[in-house]
Amino acid sequence: MQIYLDNAATTKMSKTAINAMLPYMNGVYGNPSSLHSVGQRANEALADARERVAKLLGCGANEITFTSGGSEADNQAIVSAARIGEKSGKKHIISTAFEHHAVLHTLNKLAKEGFEITLLDVHENGIILPEQVADAIREDTCLVTVMYANNEIGTIQPIQEIGKICHEKGVLFHTDAVQAAGHLHIHVKEQNIDMLSLSAHKFHGPKGIGVLYARKGIRLSNLIEGGAQERGKRAGTENIPAIVGMAAALEEACGHIDEYAEKVTALRDKLIAGLSEIPHSILNGDAKRRLPGNVNFCFEGIEGESLLLLLDDKGVYASSGSACTSGSLDPSHVLLAIGRVHDIAHGSLRLTLSDENTEEEIEYTIGAVKEVVEYLRGISPIWRDLVSGKKEFIIK
Ligand SMILES: *Cc1c(COP(=O)(O)O)cnc(C)c1O
């Protein structure tokens, strides 16, 4: 058995996306800036992909910038808003404690430049309240950046309401929608979003390509200097095959978004129900207001890394949190943000599904996790202390 349950880290490319890309690797390999016909055909594909992506997000083609992925889009959105803000002396930014590191590390850099950063606390259910944002906005706030859905615990944020508050107060609103795009409905105008980041490899498109949507009138700052590509805001020859593949993948995902959600949610809830039977376990994040494919648990008395290795032996590919932090021994900042203590946060398991998973795979996975948790607890000195009453259980 090989069961891939790490779709929040990356997804398998769809056949539609691969097939859409092939002609631009085999035949139409021109540089879109070239004036000859093979270049112009590439340029047409670029314009067409931009139109299609814009339509799916509910914006204009001139509001779309192609980037190397979600991280670059997050960086450029935040730095641009900061540069706009500082021109009028506004150097305060609001975000949350459980953002992706592409957001948090960019904010750290701005803090060193003298920006003041407010990171909102996250309630135990993993959802930010619009009132928290309203209360934190000041005269000198230039940007609010709150993710659409969290990459570790999958919780969905009330971004439309947050955007509305920002607009009433004249503050720019950015959302990292990397986990949401292709999985949840997006309409930037209706949802009051000024800037949005997405990444193709999280919705069955290619890696290394993403989008920064920025509402018309918002002046973007360059992260990369050079040629005049992307209206002069992002230099470098465009990755045409990836851009075309991303447009195809997003179209496909948005075309069956409700069916996908229905199927994957059913699998998710079955998995949650099965894992909840494990004693001294807890689901991280709200049980319902979460991404269709996200399951995240903590098991007391367990070390997440050993859990992953033993599951790998059984053919179950999972994660303990974000792929970016695994490898380090620090517990997840997301789990700490929702109030899990260090010992508990260390025993976390993230399983993220796609519509390729089957009920059979979910049943197998439930059995495998139960077995591995039991085995690891059997050899754990901490577990012995908990069972003998020497230490008190944190998860009842
Ligand atoms: C994956 C991810 C990113 C980074 O996207 P890349 O395309 O891998 O750079 C940013 N934010 C969130 C929420 C993500 O899940």
Side-chain angles (χ1 to χ4, degrees), residues 8-10 67-74 98-103 147-152 176-180 197-202 206-210 322 324 350:
T10 197
T67 66
S68 66
S71 301
E72 186 186 332
D74 283 342
F98 74 160
E99 295 296 311
H100 190 272
H101 283 133
V103 168
M147 68 201 321
Y148 194 152
N150 184 272
N151 49 302
E152 291 189 34
D176 173 340
V178 175
Q179 289 292 330
S197 312
L198 63 77
S199 175
H201 76 101
K202 302 287 175 73
K207 292 172 184 57
I209 192 73
S322 78
C324 327
R350 181 185 73 180

Side-chain angles (χ1 to χ4, degrees), residues 67-313:
T67 66
S68 66
S71 301
E72 186 186 332
D74 283 342
N75 275 254
Q76 192 168 14
I78 294 167
V79 168
S80 299
R83 297 294 165 246
I84 293 166
E86 70 187 345
K87 278 203 188 112
S88 47
K90 296 184 172 185
K91 296 183 75 169
H92 176 236
I93 298 175
I94 298 166
S95 188
T96 76
F98 74 160
E99 295 296 311
H100 190 272
H101 283 133
V103 168
L104 291 176
H105 292 175
T106 305
L107 294 175
N108 284 345
K109 221 163 90 176
L110 290 169
K112 289 196 186 111
E113 278 184 33
F115 281 82
E116 205 184 318
I117 314 295
T118 299
L119 294 184
L120 301 174
D121 290 332
V122 188
H123 186 268
E124 200 206 332
N125 70 357
I127 296 168
I128 295 284
L129 297 171
E131 299 87 86
Q132 289 178 272
V133 176
D135 291 345
I137 292 180
R138 315 190 310 211
E139 282 293 302
D140 62 342
T141 306
C142 62
L143 171 71
V144 170
T145 171
V146 175
M147 68 201 321
Y148 194 152
N150 184 272
N151 49 302
E152 291 189 34
I153 57 174
T155 49
I156 299 166
Q157 309 307 314
I159 53 157
Q160 184 165 359
E161 291 84 345
I162 293 173
K164 186 161 176 271
I165 290 167
C166 292
H167 286 181
E168 282 164 5
K169 307 226 179 179
V171 177
L172 287 178
F173 175 51
H174 166 253
T175 186
D176 173 340
V178 175
Q179 289 292 330
H183 302 281
L184 303 174
H185 289 279
I186 295 181
H187 192 290
V188 292
K189 307 287 168 190
E190 285 170 11
Q191 290 172 305
N192 310 309
I193 300 165
D194 296 312
M195 289 190 277
L196 173 144
S197 312
L198 63 77
S199 175
H201 76 101
K202 302 287 175 73
F203 52 82
H204 305 283
K207 292 172 184 57
I209 192 73
V211 164
L212 170 57
Y213 151 77
R215 180 171 50 73
K216 196 164 179 269
I218 296 176
R219 194 189 151 83
L220 293 181
S221 301
N222 286 58
L223 301 182
I224 299 175
E225 304 291 346
Q229 292 91 353
E230 299 300 295
R231 301 180 317 286
K233 296 305 174 192
R234 204 282 183 181
T237 303
E238 301 86 346
N239 186 348
I240 301 298
I243 289 169
V244 170
M246 171 165 63
L250 190 59
E251 242 163 28
E252 186 178 35
C254 293
H256 63 206
I257 202 159
D258 294 324
E259 298 92 290
Y260 188 102
E262 194 178 332
K263 177 173 180 213
V264 176
T265 301
L267 295 174
R268 176 196 77 188
D269 290 344
K270 186 182 174 80
L271 185 53
I272 290 177
L275 297 183
S276 298
E277 289 170 4
I278 297 175
H280 306 286
S281 69
I282 190 164
L283 175 71
N284 293 311
D286 194 273
K288 292 291 167 204
R289 286 163 70 189
R290 66 194 300 133
L291 288 167
N294 179 288
V295 176
N296 190 314
F297 269 86
C298 282
F299 303 107
E300 190 154 11
I302 297 276
E303 227 259 272
E305 308 272 300
S306 348
L307 184 56
L308 292 188
L309 294 178
L310 292 175
L311 284 176
D312 186 59
D313 285 345

